[in-house]
Amino acid sequence: MKIGIDRELKGGYILLVELTRTCRIRVGALEKIEFPQGFYAYVGSAMGGLQARLNRYLRRVKRARWHIDYLLMEGKVKGVIYSPTDERLECLLAHRLKEIFRSFPGFGSSDCRCPSHLFFSEELKVLREEAKEIFRDLLKGEEPVVEEW
């Protein structure tokens, strides 16, 4: 599975991930974290290129480099919501998602001041629809791209 978009496009994204069982995972330098069974939204920016970043997440075999890689060793990507833009949206997306969903302190946010870039819901549909709505709002009504598997 691969994302087929222009290699030059950069932008923000929300990766949707499913864990089919509760897992305790050591995430890089963070303590072991207990992740309940359910669905996760991981927020990021790919200012060096959306295609390469998103396709990396879709590969099953890779060296753990970012916090999300540790979660992906146990979980499965269910979809991605993204928007090509020169604007860094990840922290804006993270702050809005934190108002609605449970977050995991320090996850994915070691290079900014956000409390977290990972959010949890028991329902994929709720997570996906809220994420799309937040994207639309930040993009002033423009629709983000949604890919699901």
Side-chain angles (χ1 to χ4, degrees):
M1 175 176 11
K2 286 193 171 195
I3 302 282
I5 58 176
D6 185 327
R7 291 171 39 131
E8 304 300 316
L9 289 178
K10 50 188 166 183
Y13 61 87
I14 300 174
L15 194 67
L16 302 171
V17 178
E18 178 183 22
L19 276 183
T20 58
R21 62 184 176 83
T22 297
C23 300
R24 281 187 60 75
I25 303 170
R26 178 166 301 285
V27 177
L30 299 177
E31 304 267 330
K32 271 193 173 181
I33 301 171
E34 184 165 307
F35 296 98
Q37 176 181 342
F39 300 93
Y40 294 82
Y42 174 72
V43 179
S45 286
M47 303 319 276
L50 277 165
Q51 181 191 58
R53 177 70 54 87
L54 297 176
N55 284 333
R56 182 183 188 283
Y57 292 145
L58 295 174
R59 286 196 326 254
R60 288 304 296 168
V61 178
K62 61 184 157 285
R63 185 173 162 252
R65 178 176 177 183
W66 293 297
H67 289 165
I68 188 62
D69 293 332
Y70 296 91
L71 185 65
L72 290 175
M73 287 179 194
E74 298 292 336
K76 179 180 182 198
V77 176
K78 299 299 284 184
V80 65
I81 303 166
Y82 65 92
S83 180
T85 179
D86 290 335
E87 186 180 349
R88 284 194 167 274
L89 296 177
E90 71 182 301
C91 293
L92 296 171
L93 290 163
H95 285 290
R96 296 281 299 277
L97 286 165
K98 187 178 183 315
E99 294 172 1
I100 303 167
F101 299 104
R102 174 183 170 194
S103 64
F104 295 81
F107 194 104
S109 58
S110 55
D111 60 349
C112 68
R113 294 183 182 168
C114 295
S116 180
H117 280 199
L118 184 70
F119 307 92
F120 171 78
S121 176
E122 292 179 354
E123 296 182 49
L124 178 59
K125 183 178 180 180
V126 171
L127 190 60
R128 182 182 54 240
E129 294 308 314
E130 290 287 352
K132 283 177 12 186
E133 186 58 38
I134 291 168
F135 243 123
R136 270 189 222 107
D137 188 46
L138 292 174
L139 297 169
K140 297 172 180 48
E142 187 179 319
E143 287 292 320
V145 178
V146 179
E147 300 217 18
E148 298 176 88
W149 302 281

